[in-house]
Structures are given as C-alpha cells and as structure tokens.
Amino acid sequence: MITDQDLLQLAQKGDIRAFHTLFLAFQPQLKSYLYRLVANRNDMEDLVQDVFIIAFENIKGFRGEASLKTWVFTIATNRARKHLKHSQRWVTDTFDHTRQLAYADGQMMELIDHSHQNAPQGTYEIREHIDYCFTCVTKMLPLKQQITLILKDIYGFKISEIAGILDTSESIVKHALHNARNTMIRIFDKTCALVNKNGVCN
C-alpha cells in the first residue's frame, strides 16, 4: 500500500499526480480558508490554482520541518496577503450602518423578509448562519488578526504552526489572537441575536 511518504517522494521527483493526491487531502479546507479571506469565489479559485502550482514547483525544497498541510497553508497565506494588500478592511460599525439603511427603507425590509421566507437560499441552518456571520465579522479585523483567529479557531492549527505560517513569534500570535477574540466579542455582543436578543439578526 502506498503511503503519504511514498507519494511525497514521488512528488519531489516531479510526479504531479502524486502531489495532486497529497494536495486533495486538505484542498477543501484550503479552499474554505482562502474564501474566508478574500470573500470572492473566483479569486479563491485562482488563488488555489496559484498555490498548487507554487507548491509543486517548490516541493523539492520541502524538508518536513512542518507538515505538508502547514507548508501549503503558508504559501496560501502569503498569496492571500499579497492579494489583499491594498484592500480596505471593513470598519467595525459596518453592521450598524447596514441595519440603519435597511430599517429606514420599508421596501427593503419587505424584500429581505420575503427572501428569507420564500427563497431557497434565504433559509439557513443555524450552523450556516453562525459560519456566515463569523466570516463577515472577521473581515473587520486587521488582516493578521483575522488570519490568526481563523487558523486557530476554525482549522485547529497550533500556535507554533501559526507562528510559522505568519513568520512571526508565538507571543505575537497569542497577542493577535487575544485582540481578535476581544474584538469579536465586542462586535457580536452588539450585533448578533444569538448573543444579544436585540441584535440585527433578531
């Protein structure tokens, strides 16, 4: 039976099919990670292709200090950061402005309510709803905090692995994670009906 180590050795000899097999093991997580960061499906797909090509072209230099998944996520993070370098972050009161605009327009509220009640895409499972909100709210964080929070709380990377991905110290990762969580709590407490029954989603 062929092992991942066998596949890695074949990939490092230039076997793209072997590398593709390894890549497929974490591709779904990689796609969802990049989609959370760039919030655009076409951009996400382009980045995934870029990451695959870059990783395959550099696989000979992979020495196994980290897992292959962590190594690929490092490449993906660097590509996403470059892509988002000049993008404007959301401000923390984005939801408040959105709510005010919606509540001020009766037709808009009727449309939202009608879509929620009748459109197939308007009905969310509670897990989907939380996931959607979490993705939106993290866009309000500084990019390093957003990346740190997502890697730790969604994909379960260790602090040491995140430090490697971001090329920084573990103490800086812990500080970024602490600040990100505090900001998330503050925003959710004012906004989310799951936390506060007066939230926008109520």
Side-chain angles (χ1 to χ4, degrees):
M1 180 178 177
I2 192 165
T3 66
D4 284 353
Q5 188 59 38
D6 294 331
L7 288 170
L8 178 59
Q9 290 177 358
L10 288 171
Q12 290 181 316
K13 292 177 181 178
D15 188 333
I16 194 168
R17 288 180 297 180
F19 180 72
H20 186 251
T21 300
L22 293 169
F23 193 84
L24 283 176
F26 48 79
Q27 181 174 281
Q29 282 194 330
L30 182 67
K31 283 188 170 185
S32 67
Y33 170 62
L34 288 171
Y35 186 63
R36 288 178 187 277
L37 294 182
V38 301
N40 181 287
R41 196 163 299 280
N42 290 332
D43 289 346
M44 175 272 289
E45 294 288 356
D46 289 343
L47 285 172
V48 170
Q49 290 299 316
D50 287 348
V51 170
F52 179 87
I53 292 169
I54 293 169
F56 180 66
E57 288 177 345
N58 290 276
I59 191 64
K60 288 182 180 179
F62 175 69
R63 296 288 176 261
E65 288 92 355
S67 69
L68 182 64
K69 176 183 175 181
T70 300
W71 183 72
V72 171
F73 266 69
T74 302
I75 295 170
T77 300
N78 289 335
R79 291 294 298 157
R81 291 174 81 176
K82 183 177 180 181
H83 177 82
L84 294 167
K85 186 175 181 180
H86 301 296
S87 298
Q88 186 174 2
R89 307 299 292 171
W90 295 10
V91 294
T92 56
D93 60 352
T94 294
F95 285 141
D96 290 331
H97 289 304
T98 304
R99 175 180 55 187
Q100 290 168 9
L101 288 170
Y103 285 179
D105 186 336
Q107 287 184 325
M108 177 64 71
M109 289 305 298
E110 288 181 14
L111 179 61
I112 291 171
D113 185 60
H114 181 270
S115 297
H116 179 71
Q117 296 296 329
N118 299 289
Q121 65 270 28
T123 303
Y124 290 91
E125 293 291 338
I126 194 67
R127 186 176 299 175
E128 286 182 290
H129 186 76
I130 294 171
D131 188 60
Y132 178 79
C133 285
F134 185 86
T135 299
C136 286
V137 173
T138 58
K139 296 295 288 182
M140 300 176 190
L141 299 172
L143 185 56
K144 182 176 286 188
Q145 289 184 24
Q146 181 192 15
I147 290 170
T148 301
L149 186 70
I150 289 174
L151 288 174
K152 183 69 175 67
D153 288 358
I154 300 297
Y155 300 101
F157 282 92
K158 298 176 182 177
I159 296 293
S160 58
E161 292 173 325
I162 298 171
I165 289 171
L166 293 174
D167 192 24
T168 190
S169 68
E170 292 187 27
S171 62
I172 289 177
V173 170
K174 290 177 182 177
H175 183 68
L177 189 61
H178 174 76
N179 288 340
R181 285 173 173 164
N182 282 344
T183 301
M184 289 284 283
I185 290 170
R186 175 170 54 82
I187 296 172
F188 266 125
D189 187 53
K190 293 180 179 180
T191 307
C192 183
L194 295 170
V195 177
N196 182 331
K197 295 305 179 183
N198 294 318
V200 174
C201 298
N202 196 44

